[in-house]
Amino acid sequence: MASISTTAAVLPLLLLLLLPLASASKCNKDDKRALLSIKSAFNNAYHFASWTSTSACCDWYGVECDPGVPGAAGRVTGLFVITDSNPPLPQTPLLVGNIPSAITRLTHLSVLLLSWNSLSGPIPPFLSQIPSLTIVDLSFNLFSGSIPAELANLPALLGLDFSRNRLTGSIPASFGNFPKASPPQLVFNHNNLSGDLPRELGVPEWSVNRFIAQQVDRRRFLPVRGGEGHPADRSQPERVRVRFEQVTFPVNLTSLDLNHNEITGTIPAQINQVEPNFFSEFNVSYNRLCGEIPPE
């Protein structure tokens, strides 16, 4: 079955589906000024060699303009700065330092991909000021601090990938405000997050959803208990302890990976009520389960 790292690879694939191949030849002057400010903030890194004042910004390397967006002709909708993750020789990451606030001036930005760099400092809350954002991938960097609660206010969000950083603290309770019918894909593995999973994610009782399924694997999360379950055992915070019989699965569950924990009990028969056409991953290996596997 797929691992967390495999799941995290979904976002780059989703980017390819979201973005058109064609690029508009025009360039909005406000977007161009914002991009040149971003280039300057990153000390004119080599990645920005094509970003010149004499050329159209929609033709610049790593910039995408979507001519199909109504009222947004020549507006920047995608920004991509990513170091090759499998270079033949060691190389210096393209970007270092903090994300500049000038990015908020890209008012039609939909996809932001800045992975595999050496960006550091906190993930800026001002990203929530770009309501058009659908995908934000900041994986494989050096970000520290907490996850901004303000990101829950992004109305069109489809996915966040903050994996492989140095983030600390807990998951913001505000993330429980995401639409329950179509929550964004959230990938935060390989950080130093801790604390309880927000109860708001599972009201009225703890239920496994796409968010929890991707985050629990080998992380320092402690589950919010559900129903008449016992409180989480905090003696070994590296692993999750919960009895499976006390968990209710949502019928729109798409993936569940809880391997290498201390989950006990039997797999509930209710798992068969999950929609099979979308339930692509189920991995509860290396736990303390017992009993028979429910028949299909």
Side-chain angles (χ1 to χ4, degrees):
M1 292 188 180
S3 64
I4 291 296
S5 58
T6 302
T7 305
V10 172
L11 282 178
L13 294 177
L14 181 58
L15 297 177
L16 298 178
L17 297 176
L18 287 174
L19 298 175
L21 296 178
S23 175
S25 58
K26 296 182 180 181
C27 177
N28 178 271
K29 61 181 181 180
D30 293 329
D31 287 354
K32 187 171 187 175
R33 283 196 290 265
L35 289 171
L36 290 175
S37 294
I38 293 171
K39 173 184 177 180
S40 177
F42 284 128
N43 298 315
N44 302 313
Y46 178 75
H47 173 88
F48 306 110
S50 65
W51 293 26
T52 65
S53 58
T54 58
S55 59
C57 65
C58 291
D59 295 328
W60 292 351
Y61 183 68
V63 175
E64 189 77 31
C65 297
D66 187 351
V69 177
R75 303 306 300 262
V76 173
T77 57
L79 180 59
F80 314 96
V81 185
I82 178 171
T83 304
D84 185 1
S85 59
N86 294 293
L89 296 172
Q91 64 186 70
T92 302
L94 296 174
L95 302 182
V96 296
N98 309 122
I99 296 178
S101 60
I103 200 169
T104 60
R105 290 152 50 191
L106 300 175
T107 56
H108 289 75
L109 187 65
S110 175
V111 178
L112 177 63
L113 174 56
L114 301 178
S115 62
W116 292 92
N117 285 285
S118 288
L119 295 170
S120 59
I123 293 176
F126 58 63
L127 291 178
S128 64
Q129 300 174 22
I130 313 174
S132 53
L133 279 174
T134 60
I135 299 292
V136 180
D137 187 346
L138 305 180
S139 60
F140 289 88
N141 278 287
L142 302 173
F143 288 109
S144 58
S146 59
I147 298 173
E150 293 87 345
L151 297 181
N153 297 325
L154 290 171
L157 189 65
L158 298 178
L160 295 176
D161 189 346
F162 297 160
S163 59
R164 302 279 179 170
N165 279 283
R166 299 174 178 177
L167 300 176
T168 57
S170 58
I171 304 300
S174 60
F175 280 25
N177 298 327
F178 288 125
K180 293 296 188 293
S182 57
Q185 183 180 20
L186 305 173
V187 184
F188 301 150
N189 58 288
H190 289 86
N191 281 284
N192 292 309
L193 300 173
S194 60
D196 291 345
L197 287 171
R199 182 175 296 276
E200 291 80 359
L201 289 168
V203 170
E205 63 180 13
W206 186 67
S207 59
V208 181
N209 56 31
R210 283 189 293 175
F211 173 81
I212 295 176
Q214 291 172 10
Q215 309 323 317
V216 170
D217 179 37
R218 303 190 205 181
R219 293 295 85 208
R220 293 177 179 155
F221 292 127
L222 296 171
V224 177
R225 64 172 180 155
E228 299 300 322
H230 298 288
D233 188 322
R234 298 172 183 269
S235 61
Q236 294 189 21
E238 290 291 338
R239 297 189 176 191
V240 173
R241 289 188 177 189
V242 68
R243 289 191 64 83
F244 238 150
E245 296 96 330
Q246 299 153 3
V247 175
T248 300
F249 298 96
V251 295
N252 61 346
L253 180 68
T254 59
S255 64
L256 176 63
D257 189 340
L258 298 175
N259 74 85
H260 286 85
N261 282 288
E262 296 186 14
I263 297 173
T264 60
T266 60
I267 300 174
Q270 190 264 341
I271 190 71
N272 289 325
Q273 297 178 19
V274 177
E275 174 54 54
N277 293 329
F278 301 102
F279 192 27
S280 60
E281 177 185 13
F282 181 62
N283 185 357
V284 292
S285 59
Y286 297 97
N287 279 285
R288 298 182 179 181
L289 297 174
C290 62
E292 298 181 355
I293 297 176
E296 296 182 1

